[in-house]
């Protein structure tokens, strides 16, 4: 077999066999197939697509390109969750401890923020000492002994995806549905997931801006899971406005802590409950959704989810005094609340602009590896559909320089749009793909 023939076949819109996909991915992982051929192949896939079977074979080949975890001796059904990324999405910080408190051990490998979309690891690293670089042995031990792990993706898992993603990033081949779906699912399969709850976000602050695109990605990922012998559901969720109120690492961590104490914003609580419900059903902790929801709701209010979060932070070296007294968490030197410039109904709070403004303040990174400021960010005080009086707090900026604060103020004022007449609140979810 030759790499060039596989590229030509895809260029000519033909379906690749399992053997051809495996040959290509193995050769690329070992460095025998050079980047320029992999880039040409990725572009051919981007332009000509792949069938569900090809995408599944690609996913399995990438999952098998490195170490694969077998969690079956630790947890009967290992359930993972994955969000396609958004603004203010701190769901894993709440859902992992809540689900663990309900009796389903959760071992999750998360990512860092990139661009306008935040990442769980950056939020956790607001806690001094918290380690996100557990080895595979540490991951397995902690899952067995503590029943909850939230760490970074091990470089040994699905290395083909890491290499391919870096190439896609610089060759205009990121927005390809088969490449996105196989990239996400290969990591989940390699990390030992037997069942996966996918949170596929759609809207202004999401990768998939339209509902049909999100539905197609969701269907594809669920089909891949099934073809690979795993269980999966995908929830289609709104990302037109930020989730909850807080955007920025330590600010989001505080909001997650409030939520684990039975408080937190209503939309965020509901979002967490829905994800946790499906995890508990897939993990066979609850026989049906109503029971699962009651269990999750109880763990969010009776302190058991919070206790699991403390166990997690302690196990990973984090200083518990910072989460027990969240005022100790990093705080920005400049905190300014901006009042509403007019009265009216909020018709939009542009999630992407809010996310990009958080990056501008220093909460995120434009390029992999850049340093971030855990303290800075934004509190958005309202939701689409709210009636706001002129002069009421609209948003609060946490900044580390007066210049950043001023730029953020202008962007955030522009992100809020108004209507004279009542506006329907945005739905939290648009549907489910099973
Ligand atoms: N997230 C991933 O892990 N991979 C993609 O290709 C896109 C989003």
């Amino acid at each position: 077999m030759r790499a060039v023939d596989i590229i030509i076949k895809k260029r000519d819109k033909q379906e690749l066999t399992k053997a051809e996909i495996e040959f290509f991915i193995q050769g690329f992982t070992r460095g025998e197939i050079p980047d320029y051929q992999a880039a040409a192949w990725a572009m051919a896939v981007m332009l000509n697509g792949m069938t569900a079977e090809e995408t599944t074979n690609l996913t399995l080949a990438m999952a098998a390109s490195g170490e694969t975890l077998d969690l079956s001796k630790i947890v009967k059904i290992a359930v993972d969750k994955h969000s396609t990324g958004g603004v203010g999405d701190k769901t894993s910080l709440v859902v992992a401890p809540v689900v663990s408190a309900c009796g389903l051990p959760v071992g999750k490998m998360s990512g860092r923020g990139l661009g306008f979309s935040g990442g769980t690891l950056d939020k956790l690293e607001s806690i001094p000492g918290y380690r996100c670089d557990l080895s595979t042995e540490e991951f397995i031990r902690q899952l067995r002994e503590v029943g909850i792990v939230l760490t970074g993706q091990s470089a040994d898992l699905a290395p083909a995806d890491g290499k391919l993603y870096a190439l896609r990033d610089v060759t205009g081949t990121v927005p390809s549905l088969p490449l996105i779906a196989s990239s996400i699912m290969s990591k989940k399969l390699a990390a030992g997931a037997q069942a996966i709850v996918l949170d596929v976000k759609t809207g202004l602050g999401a990768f998939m801006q339209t509902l049909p695109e999100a539905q197609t990605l969701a269907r594809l990922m669920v089909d891949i899971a099934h073809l690979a012998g795993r269980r999966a559901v995908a929830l289609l969720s709104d990302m037109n406005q930020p989730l909850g109120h807080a955007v920025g690492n330590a600010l989001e961590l505080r909001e997650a802590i409030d939520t684990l104490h039975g408080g937190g914003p209503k939309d965020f609580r509901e979002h967490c409950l829905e994800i946790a419900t499906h995890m508990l059903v897939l993990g066979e902790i609850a026989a049906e959704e109503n029971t699962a929801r009651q269990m999750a709701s109880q763990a969010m209010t009776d302190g058991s989810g919070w206790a699991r979060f403390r166990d997690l932070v302690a196990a990973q070296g984090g200083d518990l005094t910072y989460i027990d007294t969240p005022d100790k968490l990093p705080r920005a030197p400049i905190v300014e609340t901006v009042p509403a410039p007019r009265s009216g109904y909020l018709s939009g709070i542009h999630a992407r602009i809010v996310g990009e403004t958080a990056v501008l303040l220093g909460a995120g990174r434009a390029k992999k590896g850049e340093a971030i400021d855990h303290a800075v960010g934004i509190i958005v005080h309202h939701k689409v559909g709210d009636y706001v009086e002129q002069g009421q707090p609209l948003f609060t900026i946490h900044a580390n320089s007066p210049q950043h604060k001023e730029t953020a103020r202008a962007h955030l004022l522009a992100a809020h749009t108004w209507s004279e007449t009542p506006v329907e609140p945005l739905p939290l979810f648009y549907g489910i793909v099973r």
Side-chain angles (χ1 to χ4, degrees), residues 209-230:
Q209 303 238 324
T210 67
L211 187 54
E213 279 176 314
Q215 279 163 330
T216 307
L217 178 64
R219 182 76 267 157
L220 190 53
M221 292 197 290
V222 170
D223 286 349
I224 292 172
H226 292 163
L227 287 167
R230 320 291 166 109

Side-chain angles (χ1 to χ4, degrees), residues 8-90:
I8 288 169
K9 199 168 170 189
K10 194 32 67 187
R11 181 200 68 190
D12 293 345
K13 302 190 171 68
Q14 292 175 49
E15 189 167 344
L16 300 179
T17 65
K18 188 173 196 310
E20 285 164 339
I21 291 173
E22 283 172 354
F23 170 85
F24 202 91
I25 293 301
Q26 285 167 11
F28 176 56
T29 311
R30 288 197 292 260
E32 292 158 13
I33 294 178
D35 280 2
Y36 53 81
Q37 284 191 305
W41 174 84
M43 186 55 86
V45 172
M46 164 94 209
L47 297 176
N48 296 330
M50 278 185 148
T51 63
E53 198 177 332
E54 281 178 298
T55 311
T56 304
N57 288 331
L58 175 61
T59 307
L60 293 174
M62 292 208 295
S65 66
E67 191 180 14
T68 52
L69 299 189
D70 176 6
L71 306 177
S72 61
K73 290 199 184 67
I74 307 173
V75 45
K76 194 175 79 172
I77 303 170
V79 186
D80 205 344
K81 77 159 273 278
H82 178 84
S83 153
T84 55
V87 180
D89 184 7
K90 68 248 14 142

Side-chain angles (χ1 to χ4, degrees), residues 82 84 161 165 168 174 176 179-181 183-184 187 207:
H82 178 84
T84 55
D161 174 61
Y165 193 89
R168 287 167 57 208
V174 168
S176 146
L179 294 181
I180 294 172
S183 165
I184 293 172
K187 289 178 284 210
F207 224 14

